[in-house]
Amino acid sequence: CLLPVALGSGAPCRWGSRFNVPPSAEFVARPVGVCSMLRLPVQASAEGLDAAFVGVPLDTGTSNRPGARFGPRQIRAESVMVRRYNGSTGAAPFDSLLVADVGDVNVNLYNLPDSCRLIREAYRKIVAPGCVPLTLGGDHTITYPILQAVAEKHGPVGLVHVDAHTDTGDRALGEKIYHGTPFRRCVDEGLLDCSRVVQIGIRGSSYAPDPYKYCRDQGFRVVLAEDCWLRSLAPLMGDVRQQMGDRPVYISFDIDGLDPAYAPGTGTPEIAGLTPGQALEIIRGCKGLNIVGGDLVEVAPMYDVSGNTALLGANLLFEMLCVLPRVKTM
């Protein structure tokens, strides 16, 4: 028989059964069904949803190795390993929120500014009814038009940005839009509350003797990777929560923030990065914040035949879902 992707696990929901529930592998084989994020139902719009997974398969803003256009598809494929409850934090997102996969933005691979327009228009429709978008990237260019739409609804947002790079360049090869410039463009347009921006995991060589001057001049908090080595980041996130307050916050997580030993499947890897455990500390440390969106970008699957980079991405997106407002704990 054919098993629909929306088929539930058969286990009772602690708070009722009116939500979409990922099927359990105890009852439905993992390879069965349409390839959707966490094997959730796929629907055409965000109407009626509390949160939505969205794919943006774009990599024409990439400066080194291409391939992030295939990130959303591979993250969805690896997400079959993610289960219903967060056993570490007790979060029960699927008993708390109505969540679905709303598919991909139909980007224009031959025109980056037009892709930004298409992304911005798509996200306006997603956030309009109050849905929180969680995005599968795609290169980091996509965060710029997403934040255009998010800031239209919520005003300038705070930003928790995990990355090897600040992505605040002004231009490259004469172009002002590519994956090294999204947050500079966001500053230009007043999309960020610069007093509530933290960038974590920054590292690598640079073209300038003081590569973080622009960020610090804007009021960003820049946390270098070497300041994270061999440390728990829980104390840092305590400070970040105080800094962010109760106003809207967006999480943008570039997978190259992690050390390439853990996440080699990306276009611009830098040595000596964060560990997966630290990544969990950062996202779990956002619990209680007024999170209005998040993304996981720069997964380029062909550079990691094991699938581990995409698996990490899928788990980090699940962790973002678990810290959204109104998610109950067991």
Side-chain angles (χ1 to χ4, degrees), residues 107 128 171 195 246:
V107 295
R171 62 177 70 223
S195 67
D246 60 1

Side-chain angles (χ1 to χ4, degrees), residues 96 98 121 144 157 211 231 242 247 288 290:
S96 311
L98 189 59
E121 291 176 356
Y144 164 48
V157 298
R231 295 183 182 181
Q242 288 191 343
R247 288 173 289 169
N290 182 13

Side-chain angles (χ1 to χ4, degrees), residues 115-159:
S115 282
C116 288
R117 176 188 65 82
L118 292 166
I119 295 166
R120 181 173 60 250
E121 291 176 356
Y123 276 76
R124 282 173 175 158
K125 295 177 182 177
I126 292 168
V127 302
C131 179
V132 177
L134 296 174
T135 302
L136 295 65
D139 74 54
H140 223 151
T141 310
I142 69 174
T143 305
Y144 164 48
I146 292 171
L147 284 176
Q148 286 179 315
V150 169
E152 280 182 18
K153 181 168 179 67
H154 297 284
V157 298
L159 177 70

Side-chain angles (χ1 to χ4, degrees), residues 65-78:
R65 303 188 302 195
R69 70 182 63 182
F70 302 111
R73 186 171 296 179
Q74 190 65 31
I75 292 169
R76 286 184 173 108
E78 298 295 341

Side-chain angles (χ1 to χ4, degrees), residues 16-139:
S17 57
R18 64 188 179 88
F19 301 104
N20 295 331
V21 179
S24 167
E26 296 171 314
F27 301 94
V28 182
R30 284 196 170 101
V32 169
V34 174
C35 186
S36 67
M37 185 61 181
L38 306 177
R39 298 202 290 171
L40 288 166
V42 177
Q43 65 181 60
S45 80
E47 287 292 334
L49 297 178
D50 299 305
F53 290 105
V54 193
V56 185
L58 181 73
D59 64 1
T60 46
T62 304
S63 60
N64 188 36
R65 303 188 302 195
R69 70 182 63 182
F70 302 111
R73 186 171 296 179
Q74 190 65 31
I75 292 169
R76 286 184 173 108
E78 298 295 341
S79 75
V80 300
M81 283 301 299
V82 183
R83 301 167 183 86
R84 178 173 165 182
Y85 296 107
N86 192 320
S88 297
T89 68
F94 305 111
D95 293 337
S96 311
L97 306 175
L98 189 59
V99 190
D101 188 328
V102 296
D104 293 337
V105 177
N106 186 20
V107 295
N108 183 347
L109 294 177
Y110 309 122
N111 187 318
L112 192 54
D114 190 49
S115 282
C116 288
R117 176 188 65 82
L118 292 166
I119 295 166
R120 181 173 60 250
E121 291 176 356
Y123 276 76
R124 282 173 175 158
K125 295 177 182 177
I126 292 168
V127 302
C131 179
V132 177
L134 296 174
T135 302
L136 295 65
D139 74 54

Side-chain angles (χ1 to χ4, degrees), residues 231-270:
R231 295 183 182 181
S232 167
L233 299 187
L236 168 67
M237 294 310 298
D239 292 343
V240 169
R241 285 193 299 276
Q242 288 191 343
Q243 180 181 357
M244 296 297 162
D246 60 1
R247 288 173 289 169
V249 176
Y250 187 90
I251 302 172
S252 187
F253 201 116
D254 188 324
I255 202 69
D256 73 22
L258 295 177
D259 191 274
Y262 305 106
T266 192
T268 50
E270 301 282 359

